[in-house]
Amino acid sequence: MCEMCHALKQRTAHVGYGHYKECENMRNRTLQGKIDQAKIALSGVWSKKRFILAPALIISLLGWTYVATMQNQYESKARIYADTDSILNSLLAGIAVQEDAKEEVKITSRTLLSREVREDIAKQSDLHLSAPTEEDFDRLVESLKDKIVISGSTSTNVYDISFTHSNPKMSKRVVDITLKKFLDDSTGKTRMNASAAQSFLVEQKENYVTQLNQIEESIAIFRQENQDLLMNNGSGVYRLISEAQTNLAKIDQEIASRQAQIKGMKSRFLPGANGIDGNGPEIVVETPYDQRLFSMQDRLDQLQLRYTDLHPTIVELKGAISLLKEQQRKAQEEIISSASSGALTASSQQQANALQTFSLRISELSSEIDMLTVRKKEAEETIALLQKNRTLIPAKEAELESLEREHAKTKATFDALVDKIHKAEISINADKDTQNVKFKIIEAPRVANKPVGPPRVIFYTAVLILALATGVVLAFVMSQISPVINGATHLNTLIGRSQIIGLIEHTESAAMRRKGRIKAALFFGVLLALIGIYAALVGHDIILGESPIKWFK
């Protein structure tokens, strides 16, 4: 580093140190100035100390007199224990309606002092006699809200009831009345709640009975008006159509079966049909063409022995036989048809008996076919009706289901109400025989012998502090209004030290100092007297706990 740089550094350091010392001196002068100002202010207050005594004496004496004349306050107190544990609570769980005993006591302690209860307490304790007007009575009732103190917690279940009044007997009386109301309100609360709940539930039950009757009547009317559409208790329309079609097919099968039986029975009497043995008809119905057909068949057999089938006579004879057989068949069918309708035309006794049996059976089968035909027509009409109304039936079914759901919901609510009414009845009966909360009075209220207030020691002290503070403030104000120079320091702050040439002592400085000592002694004497009075008042209150005014009565 060169010499020039070193010199510059030393110069900078020197300048910085000088600035620091200058700032330090300025701070010291400022602090000294504040100290001097405080000394000047205290000197000014001291010079005006006579203004301290006047307000101190007046405020102290008046304030202490007022505090001494304040009435004694006597507190009466009761302590109770709430036993919320009960074996019956566990036994009645789920059977009866149970309230939380701790919460019940907690709510009672918070809501006991309603305006109605406070008015009742004021009237029962004769506190209202001290409030002749309605406005005074309202103020009295409002004051009880703060004066009657109910404290405690659910953790310990211990509750205190206290009241403070100038009359100790009145304090005890108010606590007695409040305690009684607390016990009555707590023990009767469950019963009152259960009774009120039961009355409400019974009223709701009657309403739901009316609703159930109305819904059931609506369902009955709806079913009656739509019974054609809601067959089979409102089953699905498509299932009904399927069942009707199945039933129709079954009827068709039965009709076909009966018709087949009739056809089979008719074939038993016709030539060319197979009988029971499979060789021919069981009975051949005789016709006028039988003999001629037999003769022509016999002649044909003889000619076929001599000629071939192409012989003109044989061909002609076969044609005649075929024509005759057709006429025979038609004649037999007419006879069978007549027998079916009950008109018998038989040429022999055997044939007559057979046709009679045939006629009866045919009549039975025909009657069954007629009955089945009627059933078929009904089934067809049912299917047609279902097909016609199948778009309407689902809406009706949905409406019926809605009514039934509403009925089920209302019925469920009704059943729940009935169950709760039974629980409420059990709760009322249980509360009549036992108490959900049992109270034990730990400390009964009594007439207080010693007052608990007012806190006169605090008031005495506050009056003294206020009196002295007022005096000091007054003296300071007067020193600022008419200031007095109290020494060189004070003069120095006014005109500056450079303007002071020197100090010259007063010619009567000794007399002035003697007069100052007398004033100081008088000041401290009055101050000590005030402190003595204060100490006497405080000692009297601490030792005896009562107002000193009683000695003057």
Side-chain angles (χ1 to χ4, degrees):
M1 183 182 296
C2 64
E3 294 182 359
M4 184 179 294
C5 292
H6 182 70
L8 181 60
K9 183 177 180 181
Q10 287 181 346
R11 183 178 178 183
T12 304
H14 178 72
V15 172
Y17 177 76
H19 179 70
Y20 169 76
K21 292 297 292 180
E22 183 178 353
C23 292
E24 184 69 20
N25 293 332
M26 186 177 295
R27 282 195 295 269
N28 291 335
R29 287 195 299 269
T30 303
L31 179 60
Q32 185 62 39
K34 292 180 178 179
I35 295 174
D36 292 341
Q37 291 292 337
K39 290 180 178 180
I40 292 170
L42 291 176
S43 299
V45 171
W46 178 251
S47 65
K48 304 293 183 179
K49 54 183 174 294
R50 63 183 180 278
F51 292 102
I52 298 177
L53 297 178
L57 286 172
I58 294 173
I59 294 175
S60 297
L61 294 178
L62 291 178
W64 289 339
T65 302
Y66 175 77
V67 173
T69 55
M70 293 175 65
Q71 290 184 339
N72 291 332
Q73 299 295 316
Y74 298 89
E75 182 185 56
S76 183
K77 183 178 181 181
R79 175 167 292 183
I80 55 177
Y81 171 72
D83 186 4
T84 58
D85 297 328
S86 176
I87 299 177
L88 188 62
N89 292 338
S90 58
L91 297 176
L92 294 178
I95 301 176
V97 179
Q98 293 178 302
E99 295 186 358
D100 189 346
K102 292 185 177 181
E103 190 66 21
E104 178 184 342
V105 176
K106 182 179 179 181
I107 294 174
T108 301
S109 65
R110 291 182 176 180
T111 60
L112 176 65
L113 297 179
S114 63
R115 181 173 180 84
E116 183 179 356
V117 175
R118 282 182 277 129
E119 289 179 354
D120 193 23
I121 292 174
K123 293 177 180 178
Q124 290 187 26
S125 62
D126 295 335
L127 279 173
H128 69 288
L129 298 178
S130 61
T133 64
E134 185 175 352
E135 292 76 7
D136 294 337
F137 183 74
D138 289 339
R139 285 194 292 270
L140 173 63
V141 172
E142 288 299 322
S143 66
L144 290 178
K145 186 177 182 179
D146 298 326
K147 288 184 178 180
I148 300 176
V149 180
I150 300 176
S151 59
S153 64
T154 55
S155 59
T156 60
N157 287 338
V158 176
Y159 294 86
D160 294 332
I161 301 175
S162 61
F163 178 71
T164 303
H165 194 266
S166 58
N167 186 344
K169 294 182 180 180
M170 180 61 71
S171 298
K172 179 181 180 299
R173 190 182 307 166
V174 172
V175 173
D176 282 332
I177 296 172
T178 307
L179 176 62
K180 184 176 182 301
K181 287 187 174 294
F182 182 84
L183 299 178
D184 293 343
D185 188 74
S186 298
T187 55
K189 190 176 184 63
T190 302
R191 189 181 307 170
M192 291 171 60
N193 291 342
S195 299
Q198 185 185 26
S199 301
F200 173 76
L201 291 175
V202 169
E203 181 181 354
Q204 293 299 311
K205 174 188 172 184
E206 294 176 355
N207 294 336
Y208 274 91
V209 168
T210 304
Q211 294 181 23
L212 279 175
N213 293 334
Q214 293 175 351
I215 295 174
E216 290 172 354
E217 183 179 358
S218 300
I219 292 175
I221 294 174
F222 184 84
R223 286 183 180 277
Q224 185 177 2
E225 292 177 349
N226 301 277
Q227 58 182 349
D228 295 336
L229 300 177
L230 299 174
M231 294 181 295
N232 198 17
N233 296 327
S235 301
V237 62
Y238 296 102
R239 186 174 64 83
L240 289 176
I241 294 175
S242 176
E243 290 178 355
Q245 291 175 345
T246 302
N247 186 36
L248 180 61
K250 185 177 179 181
I251 293 174
D252 288 336
Q253 290 178 358
E254 291 181 358
I255 290 175
S257 175
R258 302 297 191 278
Q259 290 176 346
Q261 291 181 28
I262 292 175
K263 184 177 181 181
M265 291 186 66
K266 288 182 178 180
S267 66
R268 292 169 56 192
F269 292 90
L270 296 176
N274 294 328
I276 297 176
D277 56 1
N279 296 322
E282 297 177 8
I283 298 174
V284 177
V285 179
E286 295 181 358
T287 65
Y289 305 100
D290 295 343
Q291 189 63 34
R292 289 178 59 192
L293 185 61
F294 180 75
S295 299
M296 292 176 70
Q297 187 67 41
D298 182 60
R299 185 182 175 187
L300 177 63
D301 293 339
Q302 292 178 3
L303 290 174
Q304 287 179 342
L305 292 174
R306 292 184 294 176
Y307 305 105
T308 64
D309 292 337
L310 299 177
H311 193 275
T313 304
I314 293 176
V315 172
E316 182 181 358
L317 187 59
K318 284 183 177 181
I321 290 173
S322 298
L323 181 60
L324 193 60
K325 283 184 177 181
E326 179 66 23
Q327 293 177 352
Q328 182 191 36
R329 186 186 63 78
K330 291 181 179 181
Q332 288 176 344
E333 288 181 354
E334 291 178 0
I335 294 173
I336 295 299
S337 177
S338 299
S340 299
S341 60
L344 297 176
T345 56
S347 60
S348 64
Q349 184 64 36
Q350 180 183 5
Q351 185 176 355
N353 293 335
L355 287 175
Q356 185 176 10
T357 303
F358 168 79
S359 177
L360 293 174
R361 182 58 182 159
I362 290 295
S363 298
E364 292 177 359
L365 292 174
S366 297
S367 299
E368 292 179 1
I369 289 175
D370 293 338
M371 293 174 60
L372 290 171
T373 302
V374 173
R375 289 175 55 191
K376 178 181 179 181
K377 184 178 180 181
E378 293 177 351
E380 290 175 346
E381 291 177 353
T382 300
I383 292 174
L385 179 63
L386 291 174
Q387 292 289 355
K388 180 181 178 181
N389 298 323
R390 63 180 177 179
T391 57
L392 181 62
I393 290 177
K396 294 295 182 181
E397 289 181 345
E399 187 175 352
L400 178 61
E401 290 177 358
S402 176
L403 289 174
E404 290 177 345
R405 282 197 302 270
E406 184 179 359
H407 179 270
K409 181 179 178 181
T410 306
K411 185 66 167 57
T413 306
F414 173 78
D415 293 338
L417 286 173
V418 172
D419 180 63
K420 291 184 181 298
I421 289 173
H422 292 162
K423 290 183 178 182
E425 291 176 351
I426 295 175
S427 299
I428 293 174
N429 294 331
D431 190 60
K432 288 180 180 178
D433 299 333
T434 60
Q435 293 181 354
N436 192 26
V437 182
K438 294 182 179 180
F439 291 96
K440 298 177 182 179
I441 299 178
I442 301 175
E443 180 181 343
R446 58 186 180 85
V447 178
N449 296 324
K450 292 184 178 181
V452 295
R456 291 190 179 89
V457 174
I458 297 176
F459 292 159
Y460 289 150
T461 305
V463 168
L464 179 60
I465 294 173
L466 177 63
L468 294 177
T470 304
V472 171
V473 171
L474 180 61
F476 176 77
V477 172
M478 295 304 297
S479 68
Q480 297 299 314
I481 295 174
S482 58
V484 177
I485 297 176
N486 295 312
T489 303
H490 190 185
L491 184 60
N492 182 31
T493 59
L494 294 176
I495 63 175
R497 184 179 298 274
S498 61
Q499 301 296 326
I500 299 176
I501 300 174
L503 296 177
I504 300 175
E505 188 175 357
H506 200 281
T507 56
E508 296 182 0
S509 58
M512 293 177 63
R513 283 193 292 271
R514 186 169 54 254
K515 184 179 179 180
R517 285 193 294 270
I518 294 172
K519 289 181 179 181
L522 180 62
F523 172 79
F524 285 113
V526 174
L527 185 61
L528 289 175
L530 284 176
I531 295 175
I533 296 173
Y534 165 76
L537 292 172
V538 171
H540 183 276
D541 191 79
I542 293 174
I543 296 172
L544 299 179
E546 293 191 9
S547 172
I549 300 298
K550 73 172 187 176
W551 302 108
F552 300 97
K553 292 183 179 180

